[in-house]
Amino acid sequence: MYLLEVLSGPLDGKTWQFEREITIGRDDSVADACITIDRYISRKHAQVKAQAGRLVLTDLHSRNGTKVGGRAVRGDARLAVGDPFVVGRTVLRVIVT
């Protein structure tokens, strides 16, 4: 089981649990982790998937992009547990529960 946690931004401290994948966005009809307060997050912004013990972060063609380590995510990016990443102006991380 994984936990997606907001590290900074309008929902600092908010968490969502997931097992295999979670979609991040501003629209709760398409996003499991809904962050409506950050207007720089797209309706369906990014997705994190657990695959074979690894985490994969995918930008879903968002307007403002997704960043890991200050670099824009193009396609899929490997994500280590605990690594911070940015969607819109919100910093998130995934931890194991």
Side-chain angles (χ1 to χ4, degrees), residues 1 10-11 35 40 47 50 79 87 94 96:
M1 186 71 75
L11 294 178
I35 306 172
Y40 294 94
Q47 187 174 64
L79 186 67
V87 295
V94 175
V96 178

Side-chain angles (χ1 to χ4, degrees), residues 16-38:
W16 298 268
Q17 283 190 332
F18 70 101
E19 287 186 37
R20 292 189 184 101
E21 67 182 51
I22 190 165
T23 302
I24 304 159
R26 253 185 342 140
D27 184 341
D28 63 358
S29 69
V30 294
D32 306 305
C34 187
I35 306 172
T36 59
I37 298 171
D38 186 341

Side-chain angles (χ1 to χ4, degrees), residues 1 4-5 17 19 25 27 59 63 69 71-72 81 86 90:
M1 186 71 75
L4 176 66
E5 176 182 28
Q17 283 190 332
E19 287 186 37
D27 184 341
D59 181 80
R63 173 180 270 179
R71 293 185 175 189
V81 171
V86 179
T90 301

Side-chain angles (χ1 to χ4, degrees), residues 66-74:
T66 303
K67 294 181 181 178
V68 178
R71 293 185 175 189
V73 172
R74 305 275 185 236

